[in-house]
Amino acid sequence: MPFGEQPAYLRVAGDLRQKIVDGSLPPHTRLPSQARIRQEYGVSDTVALEARKVLMAEGLVEGRSGSGTYVRPQLVPRRIARTGYRAAGDSSPFRQEQADERVNGTWESGSEQEEATEEVAARLEIEPGDRVMRTRYLYRAEGEPVMLATSWEPLAVTGRSPVMLPEEGPLAGHGVVERMAAIDVIVDNVLEEIGARPGLAEEILALGGVPGHAVLVVARTFFASGRPVETADVVVPADRFRISYHLPVK
């Protein structure tokens, strides 16, 4: 709809947003009170409240208990480089997820067996309830948490093998491609799909973000001769990072 036909709360939110963007309302400045918004824009309390809610949902302002609502400093998003396929010999879990060689990173992980949910089973082309190895990762770059990942591998492929536990055994700390090659499973294709959703409370807590903010989710699956052998969800804070791909031209 044309701007003039927008609901009043969106017009008010848009004007306040512009003031934040152009610096008229700099970071850490208190947002005009609900009464001030009502008077300045000639709107009702309900419209003023809804406009403030819009700005909070967009991550432009934040409430401080007992103090009011303040303009948040706007972060300049940093780049997370991905290649999608890491060759054997250079494929640590961190490098598999962050391909920029200039970034120093570490990871924490934990694995346990579980039954595949319907979603995981569909991605791995197995039956719901089939046993999988689930591994959760927290990745840090220069000490700062940047990514979460949860991977699932069908135990029909890796069970009772030296690579059943991704972060234990002779190939601990190596990526999927090299681990699978050790049991004669040759990864030859990778599918990645990127979407966005609100971050879950536990995700935001682990990543040091603000509750309610969006995350980018990379749903990745490794294939060997058309068979899925690993699938994972990689979660990245959408307000702090951009995902960059370098794809070869064939």
Side-chain angles (χ1 to χ4, degrees):
M1 64 178 65
F3 177 79
E5 298 179 11
Q6 284 185 322
Y9 76 94
L10 289 181
R11 295 200 300 273
V12 173
D15 188 69
L16 292 171
R17 182 191 303 114
Q18 184 58 43
K19 290 180 179 179
I20 293 171
V21 171
D22 67 21
S24 300
L25 287 172
H28 307 295
T29 298
R30 186 173 179 177
L31 194 71
S33 66
Q34 189 168 312
R36 175 77 177 274
I37 292 174
R38 184 187 67 229
Q39 294 170 2
E40 183 175 343
Y41 293 95
V43 296
S44 66
D45 280 334
T46 299
V47 168
L49 178 60
E50 290 302 315
R52 289 156 61 91
K53 286 182 178 179
V54 168
L55 298 178
M56 293 188 74
E58 293 176 350
L60 295 174
V61 301
E62 61 185 357
R64 298 180 186 174
S65 179
S67 179
T69 304
Y70 291 79
V71 177
R72 294 185 65 234
Q74 296 306 298
L75 302 175
V76 177
R78 287 175 289 164
R79 184 173 67 102
I80 289 179
R82 294 181 66 76
T83 61
Y85 189 102
R86 303 296 292 173
D90 185 23
S91 54
S92 74
F94 183 83
R95 285 286 163 242
Q96 183 172 287
E97 305 303 346
Q98 162 62 281
D100 190 337
E101 301 294 339
R102 297 168 297 179
V103 178
N104 295 318
T106 59
W107 68 92
E108 304 166 14
S109 66
S111 299
E112 61 181 287
Q113 295 187 34
E114 67 178 17
E115 295 182 353
T117 63
E118 289 190 9
E119 178 186 359
V120 169
R123 288 165 60 169
L124 289 174
E125 298 179 11
I126 60 178
E127 294 297 321
D130 283 358
R131 303 296 292 177
V132 295
M133 184 65 70
R134 182 195 68 204
T135 304
R136 291 188 170 123
Y137 295 89
L138 170 62
Y139 298 96
R140 300 179 186 273
E142 314 297 344
E144 177 188 358
V146 296
M147 284 183 287
L148 295 172
T150 304
S151 74
W152 297 270
E153 296 178 354
L155 287 174
V157 174
T158 62
R160 300 180 182 278
S161 78
V163 301
M164 184 175 72
L165 290 167
E167 296 302 306
E168 296 182 25
L171 289 180
H174 293 263
V176 173
V177 176
E178 190 168 359
R179 290 177 47 251
M180 292 295 171
I183 56 173
D184 298 322
V185 175
I186 307 304
V187 172
D188 54 19
N189 194 16
V190 184
L191 172 67
E192 290 196 350
E193 297 179 340
I194 301 177
R197 60 167 171 77
L200 303 178
E202 56 268 29
E203 293 171 338
I204 297 299
L205 179 63
L207 292 168
V210 176
H213 277 197
V215 294
L216 298 173
V217 181
V218 180
R220 181 202 66 213
T221 304
F222 282 104
F223 294 85
S225 300
R227 179 185 184 183
V229 295
E230 189 259 24
T231 195
D233 285 337
V234 180
V235 178
V236 178
D239 61 329
R240 288 157 47 199
F241 297 96
R242 297 291 181 267
I243 297 177
S244 172
Y245 287 85
H246 291 272
L247 305 176
V249 177
K250 297 182 179 181

